[in-house]
Amino acid sequence: MNMTTPIEQREFKIVGKSVKRDDVLEKVTGEAQYTGDIKLPGMLHGKIKRAAIAHARIKSIDVSKALAYPGVKAVLTHETVPRVLHYGSPHPRSASCTKDQYILDHKVRFWGEGVAAVAAISEEIADEALDLIEVEYEALPGVFEPEDAVQLGAPLIHEVGPGGNLVLDPVRVNRGDIDKGFAEADFVLEGTFAGGRPHPAYMEPNVCVADWDGSNKLTFWTSTQTSFMVRGILAEVLGLPLTKVRVLVDHMGGGFGAKQDLFQHEFLCALLAKETRRPVKMEFTRHETFVAGRSRHPCKIWLKQGFKNDGTLVARDMKLVYDSGAYGSHGPGVTIVGTTAATSLYRCENVRLEGRCVYTNTPINGAFRGYGVVQSYYALDIQMDEAAERLGMDPAELKLKNVVRAGDIAPSGHPIIGHGLEICLKHGIDVLDWTTLRGRDRTPDPKRPHIRKGWGIGCEMHGSSAYPGIKEQGNATVKVNEDGTVTLLTGAAGLGTGAHTALAQIVAEELGVRFEDVGVIHGDTDVVPWDIGAFASHTTYLVGTAAKMAAEKVRAAVLARAAMKLQVSAEEIDLSEGKVFLIAEPDRSMTVSEAMGPSRGIPAANIVANGTYEPTKSYSFAAHFTEVDIDTETGIVEVKRVVPVHDVGRVIHPIAAQGQIEGGIQQGIGHTLTEDYVIDKKTGRSLNAGLVDYKMPLSMDMPDIETIILEAAPDPGGPWGAKGVGEDPIIAIGPSIANAIHDAIGVRFHHYPITPEDILKALREKGA
Amino acid sequence: MRRFDYHRAETLEHASRLLTELGDDTFLFNGGTDLLVEIRERLRRVRNVVDIKQIPGLSDITYNETRGLTFGALVTVGRLENLSLVRQRYPNLRSALASLGSIQVRNRATVVGNICRASPSADTIPPLVADGAFVHIYSRTNMRVVPICEFFTGPGRTVLAKGEIVTGITVPPAGDNTGKAYLKHGRRKAMELSTVGVAVSLAMDDGVCSDIRIALGAVGATVLRAPQAEAMLRGTRLDAEAVRSAADKAMEECTPISNVRASADYRRDMVGVLTGRAIKQALETFA
Amino acid sequence: MKRMVEFTVNGEAREMAVNGCCSLLDALRDEVGLTGTKKGCDVGDCGACTVLVDGEPVNACLMLAVEAEGRAVETVEGLQPGVDRLHPLQDAFMRHGASQCGFCTPGILMMAKKLLDDNPHPSDEDIRFGLSGNICRCTGYTKIFDAIKSAAREMEATRP
Ligand SMILES: Cc1cc2nc3c(=O)[nH]c(=O)nc-3n(C[C@H](O)[C@H](O)[C@H](O)COP(=O)(O)OP(=O)(O)OC[C@H]3O[C@@H](n4cnc5c(N)ncnc54)[C@H](O)[C@@H]3O)c2cc1C
Ligand code: FES
Ligand code: FES
């Protein structure tokens, strides 16, 4: 679609309303089927033996005792599985990564990596059998920090790739003239920033079930965001045509990006089922979701920016190093997206960026909501606050001055559409009466003299779709049935975001039928049109437009058929709320059902159309305003209130959009203050792989959130201007908290999570 | 998870016999909220569990002015938490009970299980130590009563011999002149294992502190008393200055370690802050 | 060694043979075939497995099936008052967007039911305290609080 296409304005009947989500009915009654709920006759249970060493060569594996254990049906090791080098994630096919993974290898690259798999008649027996597998290792020196991994002579983790433990060649972006920029600067700010290793901690542990039929076809249920990618890579690695692999996902219990990879257990489950000729289920323990799941890339950033005394930004020099963990996974994508994102947010003509991604002997980092940008914008936004402080300016004012606006070149290389970020900021400033808030009386409450209050702002922007890293394609098939009901077939996964409901709303709106008359079929790769997967906040934007295009086509066909039946021309009639009527004479009408049904001499019809859409990219924007309370004796930071202001172009389902924002804020508060998956820097062992010590904010910890959604900058690439919202909230909340902490106690933090110990230490250093 | 066998004991004698007869790797099963987690997370090798919940007479709660509060081994955290008597007389214990895990966990977890697990961070131990509670122990040869501060011998270790069973706990009566508090420090407001827990139990006579006990959780191999800090406070009016120096002393008296939850230094700092705050809160009883 | 155990689930008597180590959660999901109750951690941390046993909420993962002998177990599948009627909480969860991925929903619904049964007019603080053993990673809880408050009002309005 052409970027200059005007956005159709209309009075919406269904879009913009919080219609009842169909899928939720099954969820509140307990009927919704998740992969773990599947039980097949004769089903076996698989378990994975995991290495208790971070870097080693396997000298020998003896599985004889495990195989002899009563109830055990099969054991697989690197000696018995196909040795096929593959990508961990589907994306690198177009984002220049090296294939660096085997199903099982003779080398261990992180503590917790699978070295063998067992299938047995019960989960307990499989678990007990793991202890009977004897592995002899030759320990290799490990590296656990990117700075150590890139040293000359550091142990090499992979034989493939660009070498030097780099996952990909450094990503470099240059715009303008950096030297000229710094020469023009009145002052320069320079700092280093560091991000921890938050884990998505979705509630449903990874799980899959594999079943082969007599014709050697694999049916595979799995909790994934990218079922077609699972199908593709499974088929490739198992040497099967796509017709012999069927992937099914009905409901899934969250993914937040991390369920996009092809996991070791997925291959092993399929292979165990093949070997035993019985269905096999493999379910992660909560512990495994950490060690064998995917976390956000820890990142170290060096950022130097030049400013004029009027607040103009004239130069930005930035180096980012992302820690990929033991395999590439989404490292390339994250590095490219996170690095190029730093061209934008705050306008700057002279930019030099360099992003690296490095292997270490730690658990794999992958995709997680915010995809590399959480890290880079944390640095950009905090340093903007510092510049305001240096200038004696209100940070809101400085941010307003510098935020990107319509026509500026976005990270994708396209001009930005609309003044979304400016409008979000201004809106929040007005709603909160920010100036008064900043000028408030700051004397501590005599009843709680150790408490300090602070307010901070965090800004962000984020693209819907993964363009230009990946040229995506959205597909939808819309069928109008003989009775006038409508079936939408989509390959987009239902993560629980309400995406399917939004798609059904779009189809109903475009076609002119009632929302209740649209049914959605999803989750079966043998049936639905191909889809790249649910990620990059793109389902509404990308698949939504495809669905709208398909609906537009069937609408024309329905009108043509009705015109024939009404014996008028198609131009004379219109279709709305399930009724076809004469524009000039609205009382002359027929229902869509009548139009589609049989009448004398005319059999019933079924109209089918496909929509295929290959978009570029749109950007959504947000400014978060956050209040914190800090206990200066314990260092505990409590987030009291968040006012998130988001521009999503066009709201399809307000409650679902708010839900995305509020959930993202919870995760963002988590990684900024309490959540960090900690790996021992000496051994590579996980120190808190469980929900006791991986601390997510819970019901008592959540602040009041007053979500504001604006339709400030609709994007012509999305349905009626709609853009994504899934990832935005988690990016803006972090810097808003860090900036609020500074406002409260006058201390700057450049890292996350900011722990109570950090606060106390800083207060002490400050001499407070 | 690895499999284990389940046995249901009918009497204390039966349970005790099963413990010795079934051999090592046999454990009493009470609420199971510690034991099952240890089994599932492979922290403890268990072949047999002996469920004591059908044994009669272990579910009673009694209170009288001379003996104090006595409750049996099967009394759950949730049941005690919701007793108005506990709320009124033992606010330190009550605060520990209400902060332990979640409502679901508290409906199963027992206080006796909490002390028998002997975790240095167990929430109910500091108030019981501060209140000078007693532990009733059954064995097939005799019964004994052990002051709670002598019950623990190390992290996860107690004086219980093979075949011994705790039948209940007695907490001395709370006089009208007493003030109590328990403060728990963690990163979240609920579902937290305490990084530091401080319990205080004090008595005031005419504005002067006649007795005080301070118990510190999660800052040593077992829950600790802070005897020097206590000594500094006895006989004072517990004014801000006295409390501050005693809190500093308590920081010296603890022996914390560093782990993923917090560093030793931070724990020590929190002992100082929480001791001061707990004393202040205990004094509010008299306000 | 398997043992016979008998208890009621949502009012129906169930009898089954289970291993002594089998949790109530696994028994409900695998033996009874009611998979609405979820396993998010198997160690008491997440609350996805919350069911009511004799009216009290417990983590089904931390209770053995043999311990349920003679007891009454209620799960999400028993929440609906009639085949085509929803409990006010179920309806409110749908209307308010309190369920996204839905994995936490069965446990939270059971906890919320208990909360409202005991306390028909819960304050915000009561609701937050009541749900502190239930992790929801999708919603940020805001919509869940809204739904529970709305259901409380609805139940109040229709109380005889
Ligand atoms: C999600 C979760 C959160 C938790 N949060 C907290 C918390 O915040 N604070 C806290 O302190 N704890 C917490 N716990 C730990 C646990 O709930 C408590 O320690 C509980 O009180 C143990 O009691 P129980 O009856 O469940 O013990 P069980 O697990 O049955 O037993 C614990 C140990 O004591 C032994 N034992 C039990 N009864 C006796 C007896 N009568 N005589 C001798 N030995 C006996 C058992 O053999 C076992 O070794 C939490 C646990 C979970 C699962
Ligand atoms: S599964 Fe029982 S609490 Fe998580
Ligand atoms: S809705 Fe997904 S965890 Fe609550």
Side-chain angles (χ1 to χ4, degrees), chain A residues 9 24 32 183 288 294 299 352 472 569 601 605 639-640 675 733:
Chain A
Q9 299 298 324
V24 180
E288 284 178 300
R294 303 289 182 266
C299 184
R352 177 167 67 190
E472 294 169 335
S569 80
V639 179
K640 300 298 287 183
E675 292 181 29
I733 183 74

Side-chain angles (χ1 to χ4, degrees), chain A residues 69 124 127-128 131 450 631 633-634 636 638 673-674 693 695-696 700-701 756-757 760 764, chain B residues 1-3 42 185-193 260-263 266 269-270 273 277:
Chain A
Y69 194 62
E124 290 79 19
D127 206 19
E128 288 162 4
D131 290 351
H450 52 280
D631 183 326
E633 292 176 353
T634 63
I636 289 199
E638 199 183 324
L673 295 174
T674 54
D693 282 317
K695 296 187 190 299
M696 299 179 264
M700 308 259 286
D701 308 300
E757 310 206 31
L760 280 198
R764 260 180 212 152
Chain B
M1 186 190 72
R2 284 167 290 199
R3 288 167 294 179
R42 293 177 161 235
H185 184 74
R187 301 271 285 274
R188 291 192 293 220
K189 290 192 186 144
M191 286 302 271
E192 270 288 10
L193 296 183
V260 74
R261 284 178 205 146
S263 70
Y266 182 74
D269 284 340
M270 288 312 101
V273 174
R277 289 186 184 179

Side-chain angles (χ1 to χ4, degrees), chain C residues 25 38-49 59-61:
Chain C
L25 177 60
K38 298 295 180 226
K39 185 190 286 186
C41 70
D42 215 19
V43 287
D45 293 325
C46 75
C49 65
N59 301 113
C61 67

Side-chain angles (χ1 to χ4, degrees), chain A residues 181-202:
Chain A
F182 278 117
E184 284 169 10
D186 291 321
F187 68 96
V188 170
L189 292 178
E190 185 177 342
T192 53
F193 296 78
R197 189 188 291 255
H199 187 270
Y202 35 76

